[in-house]
Amino acid sequence: MSREQSLRNGAGLMVLGALIFLVYAVVFLFRAFGSSGFELGVDTLNGITTDQLDKLNPAIMGYITHLHVAIAGFIAATAIAAGGLAWYGVRDGLWWAWIIAVIVPVVGLAVALPMHYMGHFNYNWVSHLGPIYVGTLIYVVGALVALVGLTQAPPAAAQVRR
């Protein structure tokens, strides 16, 4: 595969992964306002529903909704940033864009994922984390394909232009 093909295909896969993150964020946002559950894959917290929690203290559900909206915003912002860096920077063979496009989602996932494995609450991992894992897998494959292109020497004409 040529350098240009690797960069284009890798960036395309990175954008596809980022689009999955963006769709997840949109679903997360709508679910914060229009669902009986807490978030994707979390219907109750130790058997307590959102309605029961709201009756106990409406401020708690207001606060949880507030956090879910904020999280949806940060997931969406990360998806847009990573996808934009991939499409407009990685595709053009810019190392700095690839580095930032890899670091941004890694930081988000490194902060968010460990809490899911501490047993604080039950969730359906397929619907709760499955889309993020699928998007991450596609994104990582794209980053590796693009990395192959980045490590190849650019054509002589491209070296002169830079």
Side-chain angles (χ1 to χ4, degrees):
M1 188 178 318
S2 73
R3 179 180 201 279
E4 291 74 26
Q5 287 172 321
S6 291
L7 292 172
R8 186 180 62 247
N9 293 344
L13 286 170
M14 291 171 78
V15 169
L16 177 60
L19 285 173
I20 292 170
F21 299 155
L22 184 61
V23 168
Y24 185 86
V26 169
V27 170
F28 202 100
L29 177 69
F30 283 112
R31 208 166 145 87
F33 293 111
S35 171
S36 61
F38 290 95
E39 57 183 289
L40 286 170
V42 182
D43 295 323
T44 67
L45 295 178
N46 295 333
I48 298 174
T49 67
T50 55
D51 289 339
Q52 291 168 328
L53 197 53
D54 193 45
K55 286 175 187 166
L56 175 67
N57 185 344
I60 292 173
M61 281 314 302
Y63 183 69
I64 290 172
T65 300
H66 156 79
L67 290 177
H68 286 173
V69 169
I71 291 167
F74 280 105
I75 294 170
T78 299
I80 292 166
L85 284 163
W87 192 249
Y88 293 105
V90 173
R91 193 171 51 120
D92 287 342
L94 302 174
W95 270 101
W96 66 266
W98 184 87
I99 291 166
I100 295 170
V102 168
I103 290 172
V104 166
V106 165
V107 168
L109 291 170
V111 169
L113 286 181
M115 287 296 293
H116 289 86
Y117 298 98
M118 298 183 132
H120 295 300
F121 62 94
N122 295 323
Y123 60 89
N124 177 328
W125 78 269
V126 173
S127 61
H128 186 67
L129 294 176
I132 292 298
Y133 285 150
V134 169
T136 298
L137 179 64
I138 292 168
Y139 195 88
V140 167
V141 169
L144 292 173
V145 170
L147 180 61
V148 169
L150 285 166
T151 59
Q152 296 174 3
Q159 288 177 344
V160 172
R161 285 185 297 191
R162 291 184 190 247

